[in-house]
Amino acid sequence: MPSTPDVKSELVRVPAQRTGERVAEVATILRLSGGLHTISGRIALEAELHTPQIVQRVRKDLAELYGVRSEAKQLPPTSTRPGAPQFLVRVLDGETLARQLGLLDPRRRQIRGLPNRLTTGAPGELTAIWRGAFLARGSITPPGRSASLEIVCPTSEVAMALVGAASRFGVQTKSREIRGQHKVIIRDSEAIGEMLGAMGAEQARNAWDELRRARETRATANRLVNFDDANLRRSAQASVAACARVERALEILGEEVPEHLRYAGQLRLTHREASLDDLGARAEPPLTKDAIAGRIRRLLAMADKEAESRGIPGTEASLPEELDAL
């Protein structure tokens, strides 16, 4: 099953063919994974990343797209928790780069969401935004009751920008604030597969879809088994109820019961588990399902009418307590 490291490992190898897509991806990574800080009076751009491969991809894009040299280092183990980023990429003199990426507003403040020119870009740039978001702060849990694909965002504006970008290439997502964190979440298993494919993780998508189909097939089989069990229980209960009422009817009517109705009742009591079709086939001469059902129905009605006239309990009085509803 595809795990978060598996998906990131595949996404980091996806070739971004166009400059606009590379810009969208790296700008999103930097927006979600770091921030702008002032060091010695200069604006530095920092990003905390999870793997050396993502670090290498970001540094390469910065160098090739903007001619910017960045430094990278591994964060000390004592400062990280399990699953937290392990590496830091820093551009010390990052103001010009931040302006070029659209991460600074005219007043030298970090923008609240994503750069507007990215979220209004071409479909390839929109999927690159999501690829960058997942590389920076994405996670996935396998198909099942709690299947989800999540992106942790620094602000609600970033979350809404990702929701809007996804909707433009046809994947429905939701923005939620959970325990103080802004998240974009996809819980529909089919939509998660679509998003994996859109981001470029085709192997992960194929594995996800295969696992999803297997789980759905198993769930369907379980539902059918439960359905059959329920039908069997209802059938058994109906048989017990019918036999109890027939016994009471024969007791009430005694010798006055018509012979053809007595025969149908005795057939029901002799073959308690048989269906109406089976009872009709066992009759001599054979009867249809409707004919045998009609005779039993008339037997019960005649007995209930006789019981009412005599002021005694009718056929339903003989039902076991758990079958009263029948």
Side-chain angles (χ1 to χ4, degrees), residues 100-148:
Q100 290 174 315
L101 290 169
L103 301 179
L104 271 182
D105 67 14
R107 297 186 179 182
R108 301 179 73 219
R109 297 175 303 189
Q110 182 167 275
I111 61 171
R112 295 284 300 169
L114 291 176
N116 185 61
R117 59 188 174 85
L118 299 186
T119 56
T120 57
E125 295 172 4
L126 298 175
T127 56
I129 288 174
W130 263 86
R131 183 165 56 248
F134 194 92
L135 287 171
R137 290 295 180 268
S139 64
I140 189 171
T141 54
R145 289 186 178 179
S146 59
S148 67

Side-chain angles (χ1 to χ4, degrees), residues 11 127-128 130-131 169 171 193-202 205:
L11 290 180
T127 56
W130 263 86
R131 183 165 56 248
F169 58 81
V171 179
E194 293 175 2
M195 180 58 79
L196 290 172
M199 292 189 297
E202 287 296 338
R205 178 183 186 171

Side-chain angles (χ1 to χ4, degrees), residues 16 18-30 61-62 65-66 100-103 115 117-118 125 128-129 131-132:
R18 301 179 180 178
T19 299
E21 295 174 12
R22 296 178 69 185
V23 169
E25 180 186 306
V26 73
T28 305
I29 290 176
L30 295 174
D61 284 342
L62 292 178
L65 294 172
Y66 300 101
Q100 290 174 315
L101 290 169
L103 301 179
R117 59 188 174 85
L118 299 186
E125 295 172 4
I129 288 174
R131 183 165 56 248

Side-chain angles (χ1 to χ4, degrees), residues 78-298:
T78 55
S79 66
T80 61
R81 61 190 183 282
Q86 303 292 317
F87 303 91
L88 177 69
V89 172
R90 176 185 290 154
V91 178
L92 278 175
D93 195 1
E95 181 172 351
T96 300
L97 174 62
R99 290 186 183 280
Q100 290 174 315
L101 290 169
L103 301 179
L104 271 182
D105 67 14
R107 297 186 179 182
R108 301 179 73 219
R109 297 175 303 189
Q110 182 167 275
I111 61 171
R112 295 284 300 169
L114 291 176
N116 185 61
R117 59 188 174 85
L118 299 186
T119 56
T120 57
E125 295 172 4
L126 298 175
T127 56
I129 288 174
W130 263 86
R131 183 165 56 248
F134 194 92
L135 287 171
R137 290 295 180 268
S139 64
I140 189 171
T141 54
R145 289 186 178 179
S146 59
S148 67
L149 187 153
E150 298 183 359
I151 309 290
V152 178
C153 301
T155 66
S156 60
E157 289 84 354
V158 171
M160 292 307 300
L162 288 177
V163 170
S167 68
R168 288 190 59 199
F169 58 81
V171 179
Q172 296 304 310
T173 63
K174 293 183 179 180
S175 173
R176 293 283 186 271
E177 184 176 351
I178 302 174
R179 291 189 289 275
Q181 286 187 318
H182 300 284
K183 293 185 176 183
V184 178
I185 303 174
I186 309 175
R187 296 208 185 277
D188 180 74
S189 290
E190 188 173 349
I192 292 173
E194 293 175 2
M195 180 58 79
L196 290 172
M199 292 189 297
E202 287 296 338
Q203 292 180 4
R205 178 183 186 171
N206 292 336
W208 178 275
D209 286 344
E210 184 177 343
L211 183 59
R212 176 176 60 84
R213 285 192 293 267
R215 286 181 180 270
E216 289 176 353
T217 300
R218 189 158 57 247
T220 300
N222 289 337
R223 283 196 299 272
L224 290 176
V225 168
N226 293 335
F227 178 75
D228 289 342
D229 286 346
N231 280 343
L232 289 173
R233 284 195 300 273
R234 283 194 292 269
S235 178
Q237 290 175 336
S239 177
V240 170
C243 290
R245 293 189 67 191
V246 167
E247 286 181 337
R248 176 62 178 162
L250 294 176
E251 179 185 336
I252 293 171
L253 295 172
E255 297 298 326
E256 296 183 7
V257 60
E259 187 57 36
H260 67 293
L261 300 187
R262 180 190 302 276
Y263 179 70
Q266 291 292 352
L267 202 61
R268 171 77 280 176
L269 297 178
T270 303
H271 306 286
R272 292 174 178 263
E273 303 299 326
S275 66
L276 290 173
D277 278 329
D278 290 338
L279 289 181
R282 293 173 185 272
E284 292 292 343
L287 298 171
T288 64
K289 171 184 176 180
D290 290 339
I292 198 74
R295 291 187 182 187
I296 293 175
R297 202 161 45 241
R298 287 196 296 276

